[in-house]
């Protein structure tokens, strides 16, 4: 056991001891029931099963004399408690039963199996070898201060240690748990990496935090369950003909949770129960956020917002990227030559109804305000300038410095870059074959290897907790490059790293977004258009468009990328090598410019839908994005449907992922149809958003895909609220909302409203309006409003339209909609008859 503090964390390595792997022995000697489960004494070691709720069971195994006392970093308190747990023993098994889940331990093999309440087998550990533990030595490496040098990398300034003095710190375990997955079962999750793997069956993954990957140690299955592994070291997932497994490089105890969904959405809800509910982000953050590498003065930042307003392009956020600080102060104080008055800058932008996000770094220069304060208290990871995010006091000191130089002047949101403290292979012309080993070893020299994946979680925890103290009426928004299980409770949006501009990358990103969301964290985005546009000297700087926005090939790629971004939790343009503002892609009336504006305008018109979905995510543990299999697990054609995804329970998005007009270098493309193949899953009827054409599920169609349109389908039974065209999210709060009803099935939708910022929603200061569509009666009921909040509109105008070919389609308001005045009381609406009160 170790305690997390800045004295024990820095710079440790792991060495396997010479003993052979120890399989936990095949004998259950004694069973001790308790109120939530049972403890099992084995011939060697112990096994414990505890029910967290009726659907969630925690399984721990150890060969230590005592269970670890080290607190979980990912867990939160769970308010729900299980009912009565029945423990039943036989000569062959020990069975623990709740109202929703049965856990059965085989006495001979010690394998744990999981069944639903009806006795259906969901998952079993591998009977031949369910779990192993192997002794490891954890080596502390002390930095030789005389060997520390400062280096400049493409990822910022770093301190490098040339020599370490190593010694044994303690002993721990290398643990492994193995499972037998069903033949037709699909698995999703584990965050994302550089691959295009969606269904994880048959794959092997080395799991750690990195610029282009984020580990979240959770899985969900088409059989309706989830797994969450409470561990923080490097890990390995492997699945093959002999079973699947998770291996943990350094643990005290083997510790994981089984979540009986009973479907994948329920498994995600269980994950959030264990690791924390997603916070509500500020309403403005769901608008368009403009960024690039980089704006070079506060005047340029202000004038860029002015340009948006003059051109009437919607905008809610502008981002100041790195190098705004005084020369020689990496991550430090703003340079007064270019940023003379941060308070005046934020006011000028706020006066234009926009918000400011700014880049901050966890490794500030010792010359900076933050760096001096951290160094004075010894609050850095040894051998680096990274602050010790595992130490609450270090988090407080770091935040207070950031608040002093930036936050108190009105900065609205934070961009916490480089929150995986080491990417050892992020250099050179070719990526080394042993990149994984180098990167893990690099992290283990800076962070205790038992916790090397948790740095970003602790960093975002510090930002969240301290920001709420400093500005309690402003919701925390933290765009960060890394995270972990639990990041969703810290106001964090995670992005996918420094990706290159290629069509193949866009395809891969569509998979990565789904995989990350399926891991349980709802807030994910990417650099629209990719960060690295051109080809450079380093292996990762390999974009296909050396002329940037001057290349029509890049303009087409960017347009299609932005269309995908319009359906993410955060729509944000960012990158280096070339400008990113919409007017850089052409003039009004030209195809790329107009298509870009159409995508941004559609995002804003869908704001009532997106903000209501955000509330469903926060309050009901829903997901923003979902693989199609989440809603259609019985349709095996959806199990590895990589290029389509669901948004909420309404939209199916099918992005265009190949050029139709130009390749790199302005190369014209001819004879390419302006369509793409789309699979419509079984079990639903689908409407083309753009035309209103209705199609049955269970078939593949050719969807129209001209440049200005992303193929977009709406499930029958959906009720879609759409607002007006606006320049920022709060411009027209009292404007009519168009309700598009898609017939063919019954449906519901709940419109959510609150103040848009602050934490009143946590105290119940929010309002919901339920909509219910009866397809047989062709009737929409607008139910009674529930709740209220300061500034709430007492009356609203809804414009109801029944979608059909040519009616209620595309981004233009429907002129033939039925207008309904709503005052908070129930109204029954028939599209072909006057409204009447519900009796």
């Amino acid at each position: 056991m170790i305690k997390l503090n800045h004295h024990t964390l820095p710079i440790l390595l792991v060495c396997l001891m010479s003993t052979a792997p120890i399989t936990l022995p095949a004998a259950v000697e004694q069973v001790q029931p308790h109120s939530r489960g049972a403890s099992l004494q084995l011939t060697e070691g112990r096994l414990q099963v505890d029910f967290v709720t009726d659907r969630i069971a925690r399984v721990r195994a150890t060969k230590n004399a005592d269970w670890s006392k080290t607190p979980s970093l990912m867990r939160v308190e769970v308010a729900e408690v299980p009912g009565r747990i029945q423990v039943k023993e036989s000569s062959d098994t020990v069975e623990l039963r709740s109202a929703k889940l049965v856990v059965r331990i085989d006495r001979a093999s010690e394998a744990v199996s999981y069944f639903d309440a009806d006795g259906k087998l969901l998952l079993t550990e591998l009977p031949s070898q369910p779990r192993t533990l192997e002794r490891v030595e954890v080596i502390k490496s002390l930095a030789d201060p005389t060997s520390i040098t400062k280096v400049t990398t493409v990822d910022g300034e770093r301190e490098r240690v040339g020599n370490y003095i190593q010694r044994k710190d303690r002993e721990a375990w290398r643990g492994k748990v193995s499972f037998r997955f069903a033949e037709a079962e699909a698995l999703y999750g584990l965050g994302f990496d550089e691959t295009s793997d969606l269904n994880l069956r048959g794959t092997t993954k080395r799991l750690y935090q990195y610029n282009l990957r984020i580990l979240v140690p959770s899985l969900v299955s088409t059989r309706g369950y989830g797994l969450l592994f409470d561990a923080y070291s490097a890990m390995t997932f492997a699945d093959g003909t002999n079973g699947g497994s998770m291996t943990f490089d350094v643990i005290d105890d083997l510790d994981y949770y089984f979540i009986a969904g009973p479907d994948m959405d329920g498994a995600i809800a269980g994950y959030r129960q264990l690791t924390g509910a997603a916070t509500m982000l500020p309403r403005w953050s769901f608008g368009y956020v403009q960024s690039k590498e980089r704006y070079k003065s506060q005047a340029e930042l202000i004038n860029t917002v002015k340009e948006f307003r003059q051109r009437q392009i919607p905008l809610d956020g502008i981002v100041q990227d790195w190098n705004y600080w005084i020369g020689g102060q990496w991550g430090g104080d703003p340079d007064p030559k270019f940023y003379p008055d941060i308070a005046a800058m934020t006011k000028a932008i706020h006066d234009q109804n926009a918000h400011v996000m700014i880049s901050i770094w966890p490794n500030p220069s010792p010359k900076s305000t933050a760096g001096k304060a951290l160094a004075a208290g010894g609050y850095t990871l040894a051998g680096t300038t990274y602050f010790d995010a595992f130490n609450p006091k270090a988090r407080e000191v770091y935040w207070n410095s950031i608040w002093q130089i930036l936050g108190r002047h009105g900065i609205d949101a934070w961009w916490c870059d480089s929150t995986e403290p080491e990417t050892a292979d992020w250099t050179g012309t070719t990526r080394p074959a042993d990149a994984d080993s180098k990167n893990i070893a690099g992290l283990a020299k800076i962070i205790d290897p038992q916790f090397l994946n948790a740095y970003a979680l602790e960093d975002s925890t510090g930002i969240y907790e301290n920001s709420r103290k400093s500005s309690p009426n402003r919701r925390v928004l933290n765009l960060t490059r890394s995270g972990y299980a639990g990041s969703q409770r810290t106001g964090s949006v995670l992005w996918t790293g420094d990706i290159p501009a290629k069509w193949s990358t866009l395809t891969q990103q569509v998979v990565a977004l789904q995989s990350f969301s399926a891991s349980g964290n709802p807030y994910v985005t990417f650099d629209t258009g990719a960060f690295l546009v051109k080809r450079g000297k380093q292996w990762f700087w390999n974009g296909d468009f050396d002329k940037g926005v001057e290349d029509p090939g890049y303009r087409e790629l960017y347009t299609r990328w932005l269309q995908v971004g319009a359906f993410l939790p955060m729509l944000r343009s960012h990158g280096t090598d070339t400008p990113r503002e919409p007017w850089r892609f052409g003039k009004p009336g030209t195809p790329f410019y107009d298509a870009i504006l159409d995508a941004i305008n559609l995002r804003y018109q869908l704001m009532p839908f997106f903000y209501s979905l955000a509330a469903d995510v926060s309050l009901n543990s829903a997901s923003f994005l979902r693989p199609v299999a989440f809603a259609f697990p019985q349709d095996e054609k959806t199990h590895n449907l990589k290029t389509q995804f669901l948004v909420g329970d309404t939209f199916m998005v099918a992005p265009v992922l190949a050029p139709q007009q130009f390749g790199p270098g302005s190369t014209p493309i001819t004879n390419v149809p302006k369509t793409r193949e789309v699979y419509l899953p079984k079990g639903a009827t689908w409407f083309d958003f753009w035309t209103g054409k209705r199609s049955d599920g269970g078939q593949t169609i050719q969807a129209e895909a001209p440049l200005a349109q992303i193929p977009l389908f709406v499930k029958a039974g959906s009720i879609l609220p759409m607002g007006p065209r606006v320049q920022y999210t709060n411009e027209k709060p009292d404007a009519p909302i168009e309700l598009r009803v898609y017939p063919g099935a019954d449906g519901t939708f709940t419109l959510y409203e609150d103040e848009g910022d602050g934490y009143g929603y946590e105290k119940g200061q929010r309002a919901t309006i339920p909509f219910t569509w009866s397809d047989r009666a062709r009737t929409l009921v607008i139910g009674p409003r529930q709740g209220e909040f300061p500034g709430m509109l007492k009356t609203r105008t809804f414009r109801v339209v029944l979608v059909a070919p040519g009616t209620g389609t595309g981004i233009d308001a429907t002129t033939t909609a039925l207008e309904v005045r709503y005052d908070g009381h129930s109204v029954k609406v028939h599209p072909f008859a006057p409204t009447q009160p519900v009796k």
Side-chain angles (χ1 to χ4, degrees):
M1 182 202 58
I2 62 167
K3 293 183 179 179
L4 295 176
N5 60 57
H6 67 286
H7 297 295
T8 55
L9 272 172
I11 315 180
L12 295 103
L13 301 172
V14 182
C15 297
L16 293 177
M17 296 177 69
S18 59
T19 56
I22 303 170
T23 303
L24 292 180
V28 176
E29 294 186 342
Q30 185 179 3
V31 178
Q32 181 63 51
H34 54 263
S35 61
R36 290 198 174 194
S39 298
L40 288 75
Q41 183 65 48
L42 311 175
T43 302
E44 291 185 69
R46 288 180 291 170
L47 181 69
Q48 184 158 311
V49 179
D50 296 302
F51 280 76
V52 181
T53 71
D54 283 338
R55 296 187 186 276
I56 304 174
R58 180 187 186 187
V59 176
R60 288 190 293 170
T62 190
K63 286 181 64 64
N64 294 327
D66 298 304
W67 297 107
S68 173
K69 299 298 190 300
T70 302
S72 171
L73 300 179
M74 66 174 65
R75 272 293 308 273
V76 297
E77 291 295 324
V78 177
E80 181 184 353
V81 296
R84 180 171 175 264
I85 305 302
Q86 301 178 25
V87 180
K88 181 181 178 181
E89 294 186 59
S90 71
S91 58
D92 298 323
T93 64
V94 179
E95 182 176 284
L96 297 86
R97 179 183 291 269
S98 73
K100 301 294 184 182
L101 174 63
V102 177
V103 179
R104 188 175 298 159
I105 302 101
D106 183 84
R107 283 185 177 272
S109 67
E110 302 170 23
V112 182
S113 300
Y114 304 92
F115 302 80
D116 67 16
D118 296 325
K120 176 186 174 182
L121 177 65
L122 300 174
L123 176 68
T124 183
E125 292 180 347
L126 196 64
S128 60
Q129 193 175 61
R131 296 170 299 278
T132 63
L133 292 171
E134 180 181 2
R135 270 295 185 194
V136 293
E137 288 184 348
V138 181
I139 306 300
K140 175 179 284 188
S141 300
L142 303 176
D144 177 358
T146 64
S147 70
I148 297 175
T149 58
K150 182 184 293 185
V151 297
T152 300
T153 73
V154 294
D155 213 17
E157 288 186 1
R158 295 280 199 269
E159 287 192 350
R160 293 277 190 250
V161 177
N163 182 48
Y164 291 97
I165 302 169
Q166 297 184 332
R167 62 175 175 80
K168 177 180 176 181
D169 183 70
R170 66 187 188 277
E171 292 185 354
W173 299 97
R174 183 176 189 268
K176 180 179 180 180
V177 57
S178 300
F179 301 98
R180 177 189 289 159
F181 299 118
E183 183 176 350
E185 180 177 5
L187 294 173
Y188 309 98
L190 298 181
F192 67 84
D193 58 19
E194 305 94 310
T195 73
S196 295
D197 297 327
L198 181 60
N199 181 359
L200 298 175
R201 296 302 304 278
T203 67
T204 297
K205 303 279 184 183
R206 193 72 168 120
L207 303 170
Y208 61 95
Q209 309 295 20
Y210 181 68
N211 189 317
L212 300 173
R213 61 178 75 172
I214 299 175
L215 166 61
V216 180
S218 68
L219 292 163
V220 293
S221 164
T222 49
R223 292 174 70 84
Y225 68 81
L227 293 167
L228 173 65
F229 303 94
D230 196 339
Y232 308 88
S233 69
M235 307 175 194
T236 302
F237 170 81
D239 181 54
T241 56
N242 296 322
S245 64
M246 281 287 289
T247 303
F248 314 94
D249 285 12
V250 188
I251 55 175
D252 287 338
D253 306 324
L254 199 153
D255 193 349
Y256 75 93
Y257 297 85
F258 180 90
I259 307 165
D263 53 25
M264 287 187 282
D265 290 317
I268 295 296
Y271 164 90
R272 304 260 185 85
Q273 277 188 288
L274 292 168
T275 63
T279 59
M280 278 294 286
L281 303 180
R283 182 181 171 88
W284 70 261
S285 70
F286 295 96
Y288 177 62
V289 178
Q290 179 65 58
S291 180
K292 70 175 183 181
E293 199 266 317
R294 67 183 171 90
Y295 297 107
K296 298 181 180 180
S297 69
Q298 70 179 57
E300 186 182 6
L301 212 65
I302 295 167
N303 289 333
T304 301
V305 177
K306 287 181 180 178
E307 187 81 6
F308 271 90
R309 295 294 179 240
Q310 290 169 359
R311 290 175 175 268
Q312 295 189 315
I313 302 173
L315 177 76
D316 267 272
I318 189 82
V319 181
Q320 177 60 60
D321 199 357
W322 63 359
N323 283 317
Y324 57 83
W325 42 74
I326 297 169
Q329 281 194 19
W330 184 265
D333 303 5
D335 189 333
K337 290 184 294 184
F338 303 103
Y339 300 88
D341 192 335
I342 298 296
M345 180 189 81
T346 57
K347 183 180 185 304
I349 291 171
H350 293 164
D351 287 347
Q352 298 180 77
N353 297 294
H355 301 80
V356 183
M357 175 185 286
I358 196 165
S359 169
I360 58 175
W361 292 65
N363 57 327
S365 165
K367 297 179 182 178
S368 68
T369 297
K372 289 177 181 176
L374 292 167
Y379 294 132
T380 58
L381 298 178
T384 78
T385 55
Y386 273 84
F387 83 94
D388 183 359
F390 295 91
N391 184 335
K393 183 61 179 178
R395 298 198 298 252
E396 181 182 346
V397 169
Y398 173 72
W399 171 260
N400 286 343
S401 300
I402 296 298
W403 179 257
Q404 178 66 27
I405 63 174
L406 296 170
R408 67 187 180 93
H409 298 301
I411 298 297
D412 300 286
W414 308 101
W415 176 7
C416 294
D417 209 336
S418 196
T419 47
E420 62 297 280
E422 178 62 39
T423 48
D425 73 335
W426 205 249
T427 185
T429 57
T430 59
R431 192 176 191 182
D434 59 347
D436 287 348
S437 298
K438 288 182 180 295
N439 289 324
I440 292 169
L443 283 168
K445 290 176 182 177
I446 298 171
I447 304 171
D448 184 326
Q450 189 168 343
F451 299 95
L452 63 79
N453 281 314
Y455 184 87
L457 174 62
E458 296 298 276
D459 173 75
S460 61
T461 297
I463 297 294
Y464 180 75
E465 293 176 347
N466 289 293
S467 179
R468 288 200 63 166
K469 293 176 184 177
S470 299
S471 49
N473 296 320
R474 178 183 290 142
R475 292 179 192 169
V476 178
L477 175 60
N478 173 8
L479 179 68
T480 181
R481 201 171 70 185
S482 192
Y484 207 58
S487 288
Q488 74 280 351
R489 67 178 185 250
T490 66
S492 295
V493 178
L494 290 85
W495 96 94
T496 57
D498 297 340
I499 48 179
K502 297 173 176 286
W503 283 95
S504 59
T505 303
L506 176 56
T507 302
Q508 182 271 335
Q509 289 287 288
V510 170
V511 177
L513 296 167
Q514 298 178 69
S515 181
F516 186 74
S517 184
S519 306
N521 193 318
Y523 294 130
V524 62
T525 190
F526 49 38
D527 290 347
T528 294
F531 182 67
L532 303 160
V533 176
K534 302 178 182 181
R535 190 170 300 278
K537 295 180 180 179
Q538 293 91 356
W539 62 266
F540 50 83
W541 207 307
N542 63 339
D544 284 343
F545 302 92
D546 287 339
K547 294 184 178 180
V549 294
E550 301 304 316
D551 186 343
Y554 180 66
R555 294 187 180 196
E556 183 177 357
L557 173 64
Y558 182 89
T559 300
R560 292 304 193 183
W561 213 306
L562 186 75
Q563 289 173 346
V564 180
F567 288 88
L568 303 188
M570 176 178 281
L571 170 57
R572 164 182 163 272
S573 175
H574 181 67
T576 191
D577 294 336
T578 196
R580 298 304 172 109
E581 297 83 8
W583 54 87
R584 310 291 188 177
F585 294 83
K587 297 180 179 180
T590 59
F592 298 117
Y593 179 92
D594 287 355
I596 287 169
L597 259 65
D598 281 350
I600 297 173
N601 278 317
L602 177 58
R603 171 69 171 211
Y604 277 83
Q605 289 176 264
L606 290 172
M607 195 57 60
F609 166 78
F610 282 122
Y611 198 59
S612 297
L613 177 55
D616 198 25
V617 166
S618 179
L619 301 175
N620 302 314
S621 296
S623 296
F624 214 98
L625 307 178
R626 299 189 297 162
V628 178
F630 266 55
F632 303 94
Q634 304 308 317
D635 185 347
E636 291 192 14
K637 289 185 178 180
T638 70
H639 285 190
N640 209 28
L641 190 58
K642 298 180 179 183
T643 63
Q644 300 170 215
F645 61 90
L646 302 175
V647 179
D649 199 37
T650 299
F651 285 109
M652 183 168 65
V653 183
V656 175
L657 301 173
Q660 297 174 337
Q661 299 183 26
F662 296 96
S666 307
T667 306
I669 296 174
T670 58
N671 301 320
V672 172
K674 306 301 187 289
T675 62
R676 73 146 282 179
E677 192 176 86
V678 176
Y679 178 67
L680 303 176
K682 296 177 185 177
T685 301
W686 299 92
F687 285 81
D688 187 314
F689 174 81
W690 302 104
T691 66
K693 180 182 178 181
R694 180 170 168 168
S695 301
D696 293 331
Q699 63 172 320
T700 299
I701 65 170
Q702 287 294 323
E704 295 296 320
L707 180 67
Q709 294 179 10
I710 181 172
L712 192 59
F713 295 85
V714 182
K715 190 173 67 172
S718 297
I719 303 166
L720 177 64
M722 294 185 66
R725 293 198 178 191
V726 292
Q727 294 303 296
Y728 51 92
T729 52
N730 294 324
E731 184 184 17
K732 300 175 182 178
D734 57 349
I737 292 178
E738 184 171 302
L739 296 176
R740 295 185 179 180
V741 179
Y742 292 81
D746 294 341
T748 62
F749 186 85
T750 300
L751 183 71
Y752 174 90
E753 297 177 302
D754 65 16
E755 295 176 272
D757 208 343
Y759 290 94
Y761 79 93
E762 293 180 340
K763 304 172 185 177
Q765 295 176 7
R766 55 183 189 255
T768 57
I769 302 174
F771 305 106
T772 303
W773 167 251
S774 171
D775 197 59
R776 182 176 181 181
R778 285 294 193 268
T779 300
L780 176 72
V781 174
I782 306 176
R785 180 191 287 124
Q786 301 293 320
E788 61 181 349
F789 59 92
M792 183 185 75
L793 293 172
K794 300 299 183 181
T795 60
R796 273 206 165 279
T797 299
F798 294 112
R799 305 181 73 251
V800 183
V801 58
L802 192 64
V803 175
T807 301
T809 61
I811 62 176
D812 294 326
T814 305
T815 58
T816 57
L818 178 65
E819 192 164 291
V820 179
R821 192 72 171 167
Y822 175 77
D823 63 3
H825 296 88
S826 293
V827 176
K828 183 183 291 184
V829 184
H830 191 292
F832 307 106
T835 63
Q836 53 186 330
V838 172
K839 297 181 179 179

